[in-house]
Amino acid sequence: MEFSSFLTYTVALAIAAVIPGPGVIALVARALGSGFGPTFPMLLGIATGDALYLAATILGLAWLATEFSTILIVLKYVGAAYLIYMAWGFWQAGITADTIKSKSAQGAFQSYMAGLLVTLGNPKAIIFYLALLPNLLNLSAITAPDFVILVVLTFGVLIVTISPYILMAGKARLLLQTPRALKTMNRFAATCLAGAALAIASRSN
């Protein structure tokens, strides 16, 4: 692949990523409730989901989305259900910073899986990789080294473009350290997570 192709992919993905969707909403909600550190695995899960769709498209498996659309529908609802579960957890969370930090530290894997499920069930990601990507790149010309570069770019672009959202949300949480303020932030985070779940569940594939 030529440099221009990598640049095209990077710019297109950055534009798609920076526009807030269910994934960004879920990340911001978790950062409001638990800060940047515990939220970062969720971002990695989202990036992993993107990389999986990238691989499926390059390997010519886009037909799976048509032949086995039920699987994508199931993943969508599983991801939405997990966000509801997270929302309930935030709604019930303790109101002290120490309690929130200890609970969040225990959930790195759960946070990662939540991000992965959100992406796999997100129609925005499906459309970008299975519908738009073939029009941006010559998929037949992609070699193994090219694929590695694209995966690295995918993680890099998503981390660079989305991290500011969760950094700002995490800082906003640190400004509100009273028990009452933290409880309000937990409830707001829970509401945002539930909203993201409904957005994913209500969108058609």
Side-chain angles (χ1 to χ4, degrees):
M1 281 177 54
E2 297 180 356
F3 173 78
S4 59
S5 297
F6 290 117
L7 181 60
T8 298
Y9 174 74
T10 300
V11 172
L13 180 60
I15 293 173
V18 79
I19 299 173
V24 171
I25 293 173
L27 285 166
V28 169
R30 182 166 178 82
L32 285 172
S34 56
F36 178 85
T39 306
F40 191 71
M42 189 175 187
L43 175 54
L44 294 180
I46 287 176
T48 301
D50 276 55
L52 289 175
Y53 274 129
L54 172 66
T57 303
I58 291 175
L59 293 174
L61 300 180
W63 61 273
L64 282 173
T66 301
E67 298 297 327
F68 298 96
S69 58
T70 301
I71 296 177
L72 295 179
I73 294 174
V74 170
L75 287 173
K76 177 176 75 171
Y77 288 114
V78 168
Y82 197 85
L83 288 181
I84 291 294
Y85 169 76
M86 289 177 61
W88 178 251
F90 276 122
W91 191 270
Q92 297 282 32
I95 59 176
T96 67
D98 291 338
T99 301
I100 295 174
K101 184 177 180 181
S102 65
K103 286 187 176 182
S104 301
Q106 297 171 358
F109 178 73
Q110 291 88 341
S111 180
Y112 173 84
M113 290 304 299
L116 178 61
L117 289 172
V118 164
T119 296
L120 293 180
N122 187 357
K124 177 182 174 183
I126 295 171
I127 291 172
F128 179 82
Y129 287 102
L130 301 185
L132 297 182
L133 188 61
N135 296 312
L136 297 174
L137 301 177
N138 181 5
L139 300 182
S140 62
I142 296 177
T143 63
D146 291 337
F147 173 70
V148 173
I149 294 173
L150 288 171
V151 169
V152 172
L153 286 174
T154 299
F155 274 83
V157 168
L158 293 180
I159 290 173
V160 169
T161 57
I162 298 178
S163 286
Y165 284 107
I166 56 179
L167 278 170
M168 287 187 289
K171 288 181 181 293
R173 174 180 171 274
L174 292 175
L175 295 175
L176 303 169
Q177 290 294 324
T178 65
R180 182 176 180 180
L182 286 173
K183 182 176 181 179
T184 300
M185 293 302 290
N186 272 339
R187 296 292 172 87
F188 179 72
T191 302
C192 289
L193 283 170
L198 292 176
I200 289 175
S202 62
R203 289 187 180 184
S204 56
N205 288 317

